[in-house]
Amino acid sequence: MTATVPAAAGALPIQSFFDHPALSSAQLSPNGRYVAMLVPAKDSYVRLGVMDVTEHVPKVLASFDDADISQFHWVNNERLVFEAGDRSVGAGDQHQGSGLYAINRDGKEFRQLVERSFQLLAARSSNTYNVLPANTYFCAAIHDSDDIYVCQFDVTWGRAKDRSVKSENLLRLNTKTGRSTIVERPGVTIAWGIERHGEPRTATTIDGDLESVFYRDADQKKWRKLAEFNTYAGAGFMPYSFGPDGSMYVRSRNGKDKASLYRYDLGKNSIDPEPLVSLKDYDFSGSIIHNDKKILGVRFETDADDTKWLDPEMQAIQKTVNELLPSTVNQISVPYRPETPYMLVQSFSDIQPTVYFLYDSASKKLAMLGSSMPQIDPQQMSPKDMVRYKARDGLEIPAYLTMPKGAGKKNLPLVVLVHGGPYVRGGSWRWNREVQFLASRGYAVLEPEYRGSTGFGWRHFKAGWKQWGLAMQDDIADGAKWAVAQGVADPKRICIAGASYGGYATLMGLINDPDLYRCGFEWVGVTDINLMYDVSWSDTSNEYLKYGMPLLVGDQAKDSAQLKATSPLVNAARIKQPLLLAYGGADARVPLVHGTKFRDAVKATNLDVEWIQYPEEGHGWRLQKNNVDFWSRVENFLDKNIGKQ
């Protein structure tokens, strides 16, 4: 049953925040003459549409009677490949893969390339009818060819689940004949680098905790090793991209705190001393933009997304587009080999979901293709800003703060929303449905990038090693205290929340800082570090359990006392505040046992605990009905505990 609560006067209903996108994944053809996009039919499945940029009349190219089209890619100017899915089915009911299909732009020469059924994998002994097994996925297109590259993960069949890291095989596949050839790999390959002419140039392998980067020259069949380094030591580099001239670019710290983008000198087998892009307060994360002739610019993220154009003409075009769309980040996509003056613009901000435009660089005019979330009025949304505060040991903690529109800026109820991972960057200056929903109900939202988060340098990341429930937890509490000191938060109306690791931090926050947090809600949260080691039906790899977790989280034997002291399950009786728990019955990342064990333990001493289980869901909610149900319950929970003065 859905626990709905009437929205405040003028507030958008919950469904508006959690609707599926009305338009997504628009892409220009390599020559820029056509744009393809995913568009849902009313009360039906998502279809693939294609439009001539000069006609502005989209046409349905492909659709299924029983599935959505979930992703697509241009193969060349005349051909596309696409995958299937079903967004009306939860993770536990997903019994098929995504498949892969090819079709010409005019609707001819349709061909299935990859099976959807995983059940056929065990019985398959050969590529019957040239259809590859379901453990095969699109990897890269090759310009001026009907071929693509697909990745195929090794699958071990048997009663016992093999959780060791599997090699990612690379196959060159012809989309018209279905014939494929496998690329020789130098070891257990976890990543490939393919240059724009379609040649695999790099292969990254793993052996225990050692990563190796191999390179294959154009005139050679053998791979040569460029570097070998410990996965967790912060040295080495990651192959990132190739320029039109074959130059290789890598992401590396190169002995510094922040990772930057460098050119790799293949003749000297070394990284160039000066980076192509280096960011003062952030690790480089982004992409290189180029056509078939030269590098045009680099896209990256700091406190918000940005683009550095190296090409003067593109600098001028960006300036014009920004003048036409002054309140948003405007990312321009350039055709690989343009035959028209048209470019694709994705426009977004903290208060505006993505809107797609075509820009005519000849007439300097924009034509709107559509909005991903047309029901969202940016004027009703709440602004988000990056702030920085000091943790108790002096470490600077970045965080995003969203202030509810029209609610004033003082003495507000606050939700401290903790990101999962934890070794990822959590927030971004983009519209976020969960954050905006909470803000629409009058709550300020603080999203801390606590130590251990990535994207802010090696020191910030490493400071979080073995700090679950300790300094990482203090960083979150110090953020809430900072919000109180700034006058933003009412000290008596603070709730902590999060999913996955954020769920763990929610529970540990209630344990460590009972006087700070009035309540907590968490979903799919880890409740005990030892369970992460012991539960054999999770998707955590053997290699991470052996090499990564003992280093980053804690050694089960050597750090046993610490893991016990920082276990929400062991310390459940200390939680006295109101608590909402939600778990997916088909979660392979944090199996349901985390939730059920903790539920039983905390309910023994706390009568104010609400339990929700979505049997068909995995690690998060896929289904719109479950998102609406969950966030309706959250709204009711918050209103009861911190929403009223």
Side-chain angles (χ1 to χ4, degrees):
M1 177 181 290
T2 301
T4 56
V5 178
L12 282 173
I14 294 177
Q15 289 87 343
S16 296
F17 293 91
F18 297 97
D19 272 345
H20 294 301
L23 172 66
S24 62
S25 302
Q27 294 179 28
L28 282 173
S29 60
N31 62 3
R33 294 190 63 86
Y34 307 95
V35 60
M37 63 200 83
L38 295 180
V39 183
K42 187 175 181 180
D43 301 322
S44 187
Y45 293 102
V46 176
R47 303 167 298 175
L48 175 61
V50 175
M51 184 182 79
D52 188 314
V53 296
T54 63
E55 295 178 359
H56 292 242
V57 180
K59 300 176 182 178
V60 175
L61 175 61
S63 63
F64 293 107
D65 293 332
D66 60 350
D68 299 299
I69 293 179
S70 57
Q71 292 190 62
F72 70 91
H73 309 272
W74 286 96
V75 177
N76 51 49
N77 294 317
E78 302 299 324
R79 196 157 174 79
L80 300 95
V81 292
F82 56 93
E83 300 173 4
D86 190 344
R87 60 186 188 181
S88 67
V89 176
D93 296 326
Q94 291 280 340
H95 302 305
Q96 297 194 84
S98 57
L100 190 66
Y101 308 83
I103 194 169
N104 285 352
R105 184 179 49 78
D106 61 6
K108 298 178 180 178
E109 297 191 78
F110 171 83
R111 185 179 186 92
Q112 182 173 1
L113 302 169
V114 174
E115 290 277 7
R116 286 194 70 193
S117 175
F118 282 106
Q119 294 176 350
L120 296 178
L121 273 170
R124 181 182 294 277
S125 60
S126 63
N127 287 337
T128 308
Y129 305 114
N130 290 329
V131 178
L132 293 170
N135 59 320
T136 309
Y137 305 90
F138 176 87
C139 196
I142 304 169
H143 289 287
D144 304 317
S145 172
D146 290 324
D147 290 2
I148 60 172
Y149 280 103
V150 292
C151 293
Q152 192 177 86
F153 294 92
D154 285 342
V155 175
T156 302
W157 289 93
R159 291 186 178 180
K161 183 177 179 182
D162 184 355
R163 296 194 297 171
S164 61
V165 171
K166 302 295 191 301
S167 185
E168 183 180 281
N169 297 313
L170 188 70
L171 292 82
R172 183 163 179 152
L173 170 65
N174 185 279
T175 63
K176 289 192 172 181
T177 67
R179 295 190 180 94
S180 62
T181 56
I182 192 166
V183 176
E184 180 189 359
R185 53 182 170 85
V188 179
T189 305
I190 56 173
W192 297 88
I194 301 168
E195 52 93 28
R196 284 298 181 121
H197 298 294
E199 290 299 323
R201 286 282 175 259
T202 62
T204 303
T205 66
I206 190 165
D207 182 9
D209 58 353
L210 288 179
E211 282 189 39
S212 300
V213 178
F214 291 83
Y215 182 83
R216 189 167 68 176
D217 295 287
D219 57 347
Q220 300 291 325
K221 292 185 178 181
K222 296 293 184 182
W223 295 95
R224 61 182 173 102
K225 186 183 291 188
L226 299 181
E228 182 180 88
F229 44 86
N230 185 287
T231 300
Y232 304 101
F237 60 86
M238 175 193 299
Y240 218 77
S241 184
F242 294 91
D245 63 353
S247 296
M248 186 170 86
Y249 296 88
V250 302
R251 181 181 184 269
S252 177
R253 288 177 51 231
N254 205 20
K256 301 179 176 62
D257 181 57
K258 306 293 190 298
S260 300
L261 182 67
Y262 293 88
R263 176 185 171 273
Y264 190 91
D265 190 323
L266 291 162
K268 297 179 180 179
N269 277 0
S270 64
I271 296 171
D272 283 355
E274 294 300 320
L276 180 66
V277 177
S278 182
L279 308 170
K280 180 177 180 293
D281 296 316
Y282 304 87
D283 293 315
F284 172 80
S285 176
S287 58
I288 294 176
I289 310 165
H290 60 79
N291 56 24
D292 65 334
K293 293 183 174 63
K294 61 179 179 179
I295 292 177
L296 300 172
V298 181
R299 192 162 285 146
F300 54 87
E301 184 179 15
T302 54
D303 58 335
D305 292 83
D306 201 356
T307 304
K308 176 184 178 181
W309 292 107
L310 307 176
D311 178 75
E313 183 179 355
M314 287 306 305
Q315 288 179 14
I317 289 172
Q318 183 77 63
K319 182 175 183 295
T320 302
V321 170
N322 288 348
E323 289 170 351
L324 293 170
L325 302 168
S327 303
T328 50
V329 171
N330 306 303
Q331 292 186 340
I332 302 173
S333 298
V334 183
Y336 180 69
R337 189 175 294 139
E339 297 176 6
T340 76
Y342 287 92
M343 300 175 184
L344 184 69
V345 178
Q346 296 182 57
S347 177
F348 59 87
S349 73
D350 56 338
I351 60 174
Q352 179 181 292
T354 301
V355 180
Y356 296 89
F357 296 89
L358 279 177
Y359 176 69
D360 185 341
S361 60
S363 66
K364 299 184 178 180
K365 292 183 179 179
L366 283 169
M368 183 175 170
L369 289 174
S371 172
S372 60
M373 304 286 284
Q375 74 278 18
I376 298 296
D377 178 2
Q379 298 305 312
Q380 292 182 276
M381 297 295 105
S382 301
K384 174 188 285 193
D385 291 297
M386 178 167 277
V387 298
R388 292 175 183 266
Y389 61 86
K390 293 284 188 179
R392 62 194 66 182
D393 64 355
L395 184 68
E396 185 177 74
I397 307 298
Y400 282 103
L401 177 64
T402 301
M403 301 293 287
K405 185 177 178 66
K409 296 186 177 181
K410 296 292 181 181
N411 209 39
L412 298 172
L414 175 71
V415 175
V416 182
L417 191 60
V418 187
H419 71 75
Y423 310 115
V424 298
R425 177 170 174 171
S428 66
W429 195 74
R430 292 181 177 234
W431 187 83
N432 178 291
R433 63 184 69 220
E434 296 166 354
V435 171
Q436 288 296 332
F437 167 70
L438 291 169
S440 76
R441 271 48 184 174
Y443 301 101
V445 182
L446 183 70
E447 302 172 83
E449 299 286 357
Y450 48 82
R451 70 190 69 203
S453 302
T454 59
F456 303 94
W458 178 255
R459 284 192 294 271
H460 191 84
F461 168 55
K462 193 171 182 181
W465 290 14
K466 289 192 178 184
Q467 294 301 308
W468 285 44
L470 302 172
M472 292 168 75
Q473 200 68 46
D474 293 341
D475 292 347
I476 298 163
D478 291 342
K481 293 173 182 177
W482 169 87
V484 171
Q486 297 297 308
V488 169
D490 181 341
K492 296 180 180 179
R493 294 194 294 162
I494 301 175
C495 193
I496 186 170
S500 195
Y501 171 83
Y504 168 89
T506 295
L507 301 175
M508 285 306 303
L510 297 175
I511 292 166
N512 287 2
D513 297 284
D515 296 328
L516 180 63
Y517 302 116
R518 175 70 184 81
C519 59
F521 66 92
E522 66 96 345
W523 62 111
V524 299
V526 171
T527 64
D528 182 72
I529 295 171
N530 279 312
L531 275 178
M532 296 171 69
Y533 278 104
D534 297 340
V535 174
S536 61
W537 57 91
S538 79
D539 63 1
T540 306
S541 73
N542 292 333
E543 284 80 358
Y544 183 66
L545 289 173
K546 182 176 181 180
Y547 300 106
M549 274 193 59
L551 187 67
L552 274 62
V553 182
D555 187 284
Q556 199 172 18
K558 297 177 182 177
D559 302 311
S560 59
Q562 177 179 320
L563 299 193
K564 183 177 179 180
T566 57
S567 166
L569 181 60
V570 172
N571 295 279
R574 293 171 58 188
I575 296 180
K576 306 300 182 182
Q577 305 96 315
L579 178 62
L580 185 152
L581 307 165
Y583 285 81
D587 193 345
R589 180 63 46 85
V590 179
L592 181 62
V593 65
H594 278 264
T596 54
K597 278 181 172 288
F598 184 80
R599 175 201 61 196
D600 295 345
V602 74
K603 277 194 168 187
T605 54
N606 187 338
L607 298 179
D608 200 350
V609 176
E610 181 178 355
W611 167 262
I612 312 164
Q613 182 179 335
Y614 300 113
E616 73 275 32
E617 294 284 14
H619 199 57
W621 320 140
R622 281 176 53 96
L623 300 187
Q624 183 184 21
K625 67 174 184 177
N626 290 339
N627 271 301
V628 172
D629 179 73
F630 175 72
W631 289 100
S632 295
R633 294 172 185 269
V634 167
E635 182 174 14
N636 188 40
F637 178 82
L638 290 174
D639 183 61
K640 176 182 175 182
N641 290 294
I642 64 171
K644 297 174 182 177
Q645 289 184 292

